[in-house]
Amino acid sequence: MDAIQPARKEFIDLWGQMASQWGINRTMAQIHALLMLAPAPLTAEAIMDELQISRGNVSMNLRDLINWGVIRRTSVPGDRRDFFLCEQDIWTMFHTILRERKKRELDPLVNRLNTCVQAASATTTPDPEQALLLARLQELHRFFLTFHKLFATVLGDDPKKLAQTAKLLEKLL
């Protein structure tokens, strides 16, 4: 076990650094990484000890990870404590993350752009500046709507579809 400790520690640090680049809480990502690498479900106390973080921080981030759908609470026979484990299938895990990001980020963006286009279209006598604004908003709306449809199609309800699409694209490239 000692021989893999540096690689394990490095991955947990890497995952935390990457997540902060994506706008995700570093500690939440480190907990996620720890659970990804854990051979068995972990308690909140084990997570606290491993990452040297407070109970409140662990509790809050575990709740967020559960809400994202990438970890779940479980039990161990004969132990009254809660244990936590990460989705082990990488395609299912990333499918869940992408679906959640689409729901939290892309869906609201497309809806707000639609509202902007409708507001800009409501003018009865557009001047050149308003016409330019409307044209740019429509272009942005179409652009993000294309990605919205692509994400919805690729993600679907089955994580295997994401894996199949990625493998197909890999062959094309």
Side-chain angles (χ1 to χ4, degrees), residues 92-125:
T92 300
M93 180 181 65
F94 276 99
H95 178 268
T96 301
I97 292 169
L98 289 172
R99 190 181 66 229
E100 193 64 27
R101 292 208 69 160
K102 176 190 169 293
K103 181 176 86 178
R104 291 173 185 234
E105 298 167 30
L106 190 56
D107 291 356
L109 175 64
V110 168
N111 290 335
R112 297 265 322 259
L113 278 170
N114 187 49
T115 301
C116 291
V117 168
Q118 288 176 355
S121 300
T123 296
T124 54
T125 56

Side-chain angles (χ1 to χ4, degrees), residues 8 34-35 38-47 50 82-85:
R8 187 169 177 264
L34 178 63
L35 290 171
L42 298 176
T43 63
E45 292 78 16
I47 295 167
E50 176 79 24
D82 286 333
F83 287 79
F84 301 90
L85 68 131

Side-chain angles (χ1 to χ4, degrees), residues 45-59:
E45 292 78 16
I47 295 167
M48 288 169 41
D49 291 344
E50 176 79 24
L51 299 178
Q52 295 297 294
I53 54 179
S54 71
R55 177 177 302 282
N57 203 356
V58 169
S59 177

Side-chain angles (χ1 to χ4, degrees), residues 7-110:
R8 187 169 177 264
K9 185 176 179 339
E10 180 67 21
F11 175 74
I12 291 168
D13 186 55
L14 168 67
W15 205 246
Q17 287 178 10
M18 278 185 6
S20 64
Q21 298 298 318
W22 296 338
I24 295 170
N25 176 319
R26 180 184 180 102
T27 303
M28 184 169 87
Q30 289 176 324
I31 293 170
H32 184 236
L34 178 63
L35 290 171
M36 267 196 282
L37 300 179
L42 298 176
T43 63
E45 292 78 16
I47 295 167
M48 288 169 41
D49 291 344
E50 176 79 24
L51 299 178
Q52 295 297 294
I53 54 179
S54 71
R55 177 177 302 282
N57 203 356
V58 169
S59 177
M60 178 181 64
N61 283 295
L62 285 171
R63 185 175 50 248
D64 287 345
L65 286 164
I66 289 169
N67 289 338
W68 272 77
V70 293
I71 70 165
R72 64 183 171 89
R73 188 181 320 247
T74 190
S75 59
V76 171
D79 197 322
R80 293 171 34 142
R81 298 175 296 174
D82 286 333
F83 287 79
F84 301 90
L85 68 131
C86 184
E87 172 58 55
Q88 293 301 302
D89 180 71
I90 196 82
W91 289 103
T92 300
M93 180 181 65
F94 276 99
H95 178 268
T96 301
I97 292 169
L98 289 172
R99 190 181 66 229
E100 193 64 27
R101 292 208 69 160
K102 176 190 169 293
K103 181 176 86 178
R104 291 173 185 234
E105 298 167 30
L106 190 56
D107 291 356
L109 175 64
V110 168

